[in-house]
Amino acid sequence: MMSRTLFLIAAVMCSCAHAFAPSASNIQSSSTALSMGLFDSFTKAFTNEEYGPPPDAVKATARHILVPTLEDANEVLGKVAGGETTFAGLASQYSTCPSKSRGGSLGSFSPGTMVKEFDEVVFAPDTKVGEIMGPVQTQFGYHLIVVDKRTGGGDWY
């Protein structure tokens, strides 16, 4: 009984095999050796393309005060140290950046969005959240920067 069942299964498979065999019309030629189906799976397993961090994983939220001269930056730092007013108040009073209407807030941004010197301070591992950094000179003038939040980047924040 068992051998008869196996014979029937084999007969059915042989008679249907032509349905699954590739014909000349549906075979695609490939110029690369890695387009072989089975080997693509192995290649993907070691490339980590699908499982890398998303491009927007590292972000920072920061505020700044932009002034034209180093003397102005030092004057504003003195007022911050004296506790005369808040950082946002000083930004709206002294900053030449349009962000002064928002207390100097630049919102959330990724590395490479701001000028290089600014990014180096904001995304530096030794920059502490909530501390005033600067003055930092860029092509726009001198910045006093406060990083309010950072996300992504592993455990170095």
Side-chain angles (χ1 to χ4, degrees):
M1 177 76 172
M2 176 94 140
S3 62
R4 184 175 180 169
T5 306
L6 289 176
F7 175 76
L8 287 173
I9 291 173
V12 168
M13 288 177 67
C14 287
S15 66
C16 296
H18 71 279
F20 298 104
S23 65
S25 64
N26 66 5
I27 295 178
Q28 296 176 350
S29 65
S30 174
S31 61
T32 63
L34 295 176
S35 298
M36 295 185 200
L38 178 63
F39 293 107
D40 287 345
S41 300
F42 292 122
T43 303
K44 273 187 170 180
F46 293 103
T47 60
N48 202 21
E49 291 172 0
E50 293 179 22
Y51 303 106
D56 59 346
V58 177
K59 285 194 175 226
T61 303
R63 297 174 285 151
H64 79 138
I65 299 172
L66 174 64
V67 292
T69 67
L70 182 59
E71 293 77 26
D72 292 337
N74 288 329
E75 179 185 341
V76 173
L77 270 176
K79 292 187 183 242
V80 168
E84 295 179 34
T85 184
T86 64
F87 189 88
L90 290 170
S92 59
Q93 183 179 357
Y94 288 95
S95 186
T96 59
C97 180
S99 68
K100 72 181 188 176
S101 64
R102 297 181 306 276
S105 177
L106 298 168
S108 183
F109 53 92
S110 300
T113 305
M114 304 298 178
V115 292
K116 181 182 175 219
E117 300 86 357
F118 195 95
D119 263 4
E120 286 174 352
V121 171
V122 171
F123 293 102
D126 55 333
T127 297
K128 293 188 170 100
V129 172
E131 285 187 8
I132 298 174
M133 303 299 295
V136 177
Q137 184 179 9
T138 69
Q139 65 195 34
F140 302 107
Y142 291 85
H143 303 260
L144 300 175
I145 305 167
V146 175
V147 177
D148 292 321
K149 180 181 173 183
R150 281 189 293 217
T151 58
D155 59 356
W156 54 276
Y157 290 136

